[in-house]
């Protein structure tokens, strides 16, 4: 099970995610309670070893702006939320970067098509709410042969059930491993990764 821990902002949280066995860590470079600056990411990146993907997360930015900010932060992976096109995917790839394209469960059928992204992410219909939802309903989207991540409402106690119900290739967590909004709980990070990997 591929595990991404997102919304990290401190050396302690990055170190815990890495030590626990996370495959990817996410840095939010867009307006959010978890937002960090490219300069902050630069300080945290040395804690991320080779083999663990460091991802810059964007919501309203254009693909070109996301690439520019990610480059400034020293990142080679970009995660784009919102309605995106094949041209957006090409923009990221032409910059020599890899892409996680995110869509919500409430998105149009077209948005679940393969646009050539490296990984696809499916979030709850209300992203960031931290609320669990009908994970089994993802199976209707026909994603069996693609690498995709499940997100939204996941926490240590339900990640194994949710990933199995959805048939997910991987999982992504942020609010489910927090002590309060934007503040990560190190014990929850470890428990989440262990539960997902088990």
């Amino acid at each position: 099970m591929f595990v991404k821990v997102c919304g990290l902002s401190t050396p302690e949280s990055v170190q815990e995610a890495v030590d626990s066995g996370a495959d990817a860590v996410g840095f939010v470079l867009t307006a959010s309670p978890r937002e960090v600056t490219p300069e902050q990411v630069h300080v945290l990146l040395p804690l991320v070893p080779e083999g663990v993907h460091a991802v810059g997360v964007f919501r309203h930015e254009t693909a070109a702006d996301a690439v520019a900010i990610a480059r400034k932060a020293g990142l080679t992976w970009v995660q784009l939320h919102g309605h995106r096109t094949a041209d957006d995917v090409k923009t990221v790839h032409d910059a020599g970067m890899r892409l996680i394209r995110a869509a919500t469960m409430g998105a149009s059928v077209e948005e679940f098509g393969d646009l050539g992204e490296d990984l696809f992410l499916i979030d709850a219909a209300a992203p960031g709410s931290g609320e669990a939802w009908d994970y089994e309903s993802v199976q209707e989207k026909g994603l069996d042969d693609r690498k995709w991540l499940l997100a939204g409402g996941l926490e240590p106690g339900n990640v194994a059930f949710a990933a199995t119900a959805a048939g997910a290739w991987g999982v992504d967590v942020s609010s489910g491993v927090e002590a309060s909004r934007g503040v990560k709980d190190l014990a929850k990070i470890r428990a989440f990764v262990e539960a997902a990997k088990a």
Side-chain angles (χ1 to χ4, degrees):
M1 179 64 59
F2 183 98
V3 179
K4 175 171 167 279
V5 181
C6 200
L8 301 176
S9 60
T10 66
E12 293 79 12
S13 61
V14 173
Q15 194 67 60
E16 188 62 55
V18 167
D19 289 348
S20 296
D23 301 283
V25 292
F27 301 106
V28 178
L29 289 159
T30 190
S32 161
R34 305 171 183 95
E35 184 178 4
V36 290
T37 64
E39 292 74 22
Q40 285 174 286
V41 174
H42 254 299
V43 173
L44 297 170
L45 269 184
L47 299 170
V48 184
E50 189 139 354
V52 175
H53 307 311
V55 183
V57 180
F58 301 89
R59 190 169 298 278
H60 305 295
E61 294 76 8
T62 64
D65 285 348
V67 162
I69 296 166
R71 186 170 279 144
K72 187 178 175 186
L75 299 168
T76 56
W77 277 80
V78 167
Q79 180 171 314
L80 295 178
H81 289 255
H83 178 69
R84 302 294 173 168
T85 65
D87 284 343
D88 292 326
V89 177
K90 186 175 186 301
T91 295
V92 174
H93 285 161
D94 285 352
M97 295 185 179
R98 299 179 79 181
L99 174 66
I100 299 173
R101 183 173 67 86
T104 66
M105 271 303 285
S108 64
V109 174
E110 294 76 33
E111 292 193 43
F112 285 89
D114 189 346
L115 300 184
E117 61 275 341
D118 298 279
L119 289 175
F120 187 52
L121 183 148
I122 299 179
D123 207 344
S129 68
E131 292 177 11
W133 47 286
D134 179 11
Y135 300 110
E136 202 168 338
S137 62
V138 182
Q139 297 212 14
E140 299 162 12
K141 303 294 183 183
L143 299 165
D144 297 345
D145 56 346
R146 287 166 68 186
K147 289 184 176 179
W148 66 276
L149 310 180
L150 180 69
L154 300 178
E155 41 86 18
N158 74 355
V159 62
F161 162 79
T164 303
W169 178 81
V171 291
D172 186 12
V173 70
S174 186
S175 59
V177 291
E178 290 182 341
S180 59
R181 197 158 172 77
V183 180
K184 291 294 184 277
D185 180 312
L186 303 186
K188 285 183 181 178
I189 291 175
R190 178 167 294 277
F192 182 90
V193 178
E194 288 177 354
K197 293 285 185 183

